[in-house]
């Protein structure tokens, strides 16, 4: 089915992307200072240089770097992520940051910080990055994650889209942010249930 352009929805998305109508202080900061931040971070030059070598756009890697930098997790879980630029960008945030993945990716200079995923650690600050929803071993545990869930390729991958819609429907608190390509879920019980459709 072809998605028809809706000018009213586009206007609302444009408006929300600039902070208008956002009443939550957390959401306002997260939208304007993380998702849509335009000023460069210290690692962006290295990320862009590496992306150029790999012949791909650095835009999404820089976005995920900003999210990881903002949340400063103890561990990152990745499922099906073989995008070396994004993997390296996440690990550049903190020299002590570790990653648990399925499958285990090869990331030059960072291999010693990546292990095979066994289970979600309940007490750690976590970020979960999902590129392939069908290999996530325990979907029911995702909303109990103390951190942020990022689902990529939402528009191109049926399983990812279904996971995104399923998690969104099951939420009773927390925030979601999406630009239709990437979905970001913050399942914090401290946040009221709100969904934001944005450009970022």
């Amino acid at each position: 089915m072809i998605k028809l352009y809706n000018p009213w929805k586009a206007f609302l998305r444009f408006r929300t992307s600039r902070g208008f109508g956002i009443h939550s202080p957390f959401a306002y900061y997260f939208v304007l200072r993380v998702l849509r931040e335009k000023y460069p971070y210290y690692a962006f030059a290295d990320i862009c240089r590496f992306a150029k070598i790999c012949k791909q756009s650095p835009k999404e890697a820089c976005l995920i770097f900003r999210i990881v930098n903002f949340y400063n997790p103890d561990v990152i879980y990745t499922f099906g992520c073989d995008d070396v630029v994004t993997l390296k960008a996440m690990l550049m945030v903190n020299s002590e940051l570790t990653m648990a993945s399925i499958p285990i990716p090869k990331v030059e200079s960072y291999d010693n910080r990546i292990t095979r995923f066994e289970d979600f650690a309940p007490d750690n600050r976590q970020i979960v990055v999902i590129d392939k929803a069908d290999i996530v071993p325990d979907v029911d545990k995702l909303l109990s994650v103390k951190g942020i869930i990022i689902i990529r390729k939402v528009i191109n991958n049926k399983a990812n889209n279904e996971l995104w819609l399923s998690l969104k429907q099951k939420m009773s608190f927390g925030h979601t942010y999406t630009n239709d390509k990437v979905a970001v879920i913050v399942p914090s019980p401290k946040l009221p249930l709100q969904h934001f459709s944005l450009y970022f």
Side-chain angles (χ1 to χ4, degrees), residues 11-28:
F11 169 73
L12 290 177
R13 178 177 284 199
F14 175 85
R15 194 171 179 274
T16 306
S17 298
R18 279 147 185 79
F20 295 104
I22 299 178
H23 303 293
S24 161
F26 175 90
Y28 187 86

Side-chain angles (χ1 to χ4, degrees), residues 67-75 93-94 97 125-127:
I67 295 171
V68 175
N69 187 70
F70 163 76
Y71 191 67
N72 193 25
D74 299 309
V75 61
V93 169
N94 183 334
L97 186 56
R125 291 168 61 85
Q126 307 154 33
I127 284 185

Side-chain angles (χ1 to χ4, degrees), residues 80-91:
C81 186
D82 56 6
D83 173 2
V84 180
V85 177
T86 298
L87 290 165
K88 189 170 275 196
M90 289 189 284
L91 289 168

Side-chain angles (χ1 to χ4, degrees), residues 123-139:
D123 298 322
N124 286 348
R125 291 168 61 85
Q126 307 154 33
I127 284 185
V128 181
V129 180
I130 300 169
D131 277 14
K132 293 179 182 176
D134 49 5
I135 67 170
V136 179
D138 200 342
V139 170

Side-chain angles (χ1 to χ4, degrees), residues 130-161:
I130 300 169
D131 277 14
K132 293 179 182 176
D134 49 5
I135 67 170
V136 179
D138 200 342
V139 170
D140 293 332
K141 285 187 177 179
L142 282 174
L143 289 180
S144 62
V145 161
K146 290 184 178 178
I148 296 174
I149 303 161
I150 302 167
I151 306 174
R152 305 200 305 166
K153 306 175 183 177
V154 172
I155 203 167
N156 299 332
N157 185 302
K158 184 180 177 182
N160 290 15
N161 188 54

Side-chain angles (χ1 to χ4, degrees), residues 5-184:
Y5 176 75
N6 185 321
W8 176 246
K9 281 188 177 179
F11 169 73
L12 290 177
R13 178 177 284 199
F14 175 85
R15 194 171 179 274
T16 306
S17 298
R18 279 147 185 79
F20 295 104
I22 299 178
H23 303 293
S24 161
F26 175 90
Y28 187 86
Y29 183 91
F30 192 67
V31 169
L32 295 184
R33 293 290 175 260
V34 181
L35 297 180
R36 289 182 50 83
E37 178 62 83
K38 301 301 180 189
Y39 290 106
Y41 282 60
Y42 60 89
F44 279 11
D46 290 336
I47 295 171
C48 291
R49 194 179 305 115
F50 187 61
K52 189 174 182 180
I53 293 169
C54 296
K55 297 181 180 178
Q56 68 182 70
S57 169
K59 184 178 178 182
E60 204 164 287
C62 289
L63 166 67
I64 293 180
F65 175 91
R66 292 195 301 270
I67 295 171
V68 175
N69 187 70
F70 163 76
Y71 191 67
N72 193 25
D74 299 309
V75 61
I76 298 170
Y77 300 117
T78 71
F79 300 98
C81 186
D82 56 6
D83 173 2
V84 180
V85 177
T86 298
L87 290 165
K88 189 170 275 196
M90 289 189 284
L91 289 168
M92 287 169 70
V93 169
N94 183 334
S95 61
E96 296 181 3
L97 186 56
T98 59
M99 184 178 285
S101 304
I102 298 179
I104 299 178
K106 293 290 182 187
V107 184
E108 189 180 343
S109 304
Y110 294 93
D111 286 347
N112 62 324
R113 290 163 58 189
I114 305 173
T115 58
R116 182 167 179 80
F117 174 84
E118 298 295 338
D119 197 3
F120 295 106
D123 298 322
N124 286 348
R125 291 168 61 85
Q126 307 154 33
I127 284 185
V128 181
V129 180
I130 300 169
D131 277 14
K132 293 179 182 176
D134 49 5
I135 67 170
V136 179
D138 200 342
V139 170
D140 293 332
K141 285 187 177 179
L142 282 174
L143 289 180
S144 62
V145 161
K146 290 184 178 178
I148 296 174
I149 303 161
I150 302 167
I151 306 174
R152 305 200 305 166
K153 306 175 183 177
V154 172
I155 203 167
N156 299 332
N157 185 302
K158 184 180 177 182
N160 290 15
N161 188 54
E162 287 174 354
L163 176 63
W164 154 236
L165 295 175
S166 171
L167 292 176
K168 187 178 176 184
Q169 190 174 22
K170 289 177 182 176
M171 291 174 69
S172 56
F173 50 75
H175 290 175
T176 70
Y177 307 83
T178 185
N179 61 5
D180 293 334
K181 296 176 184 177
V182 178
V184 180

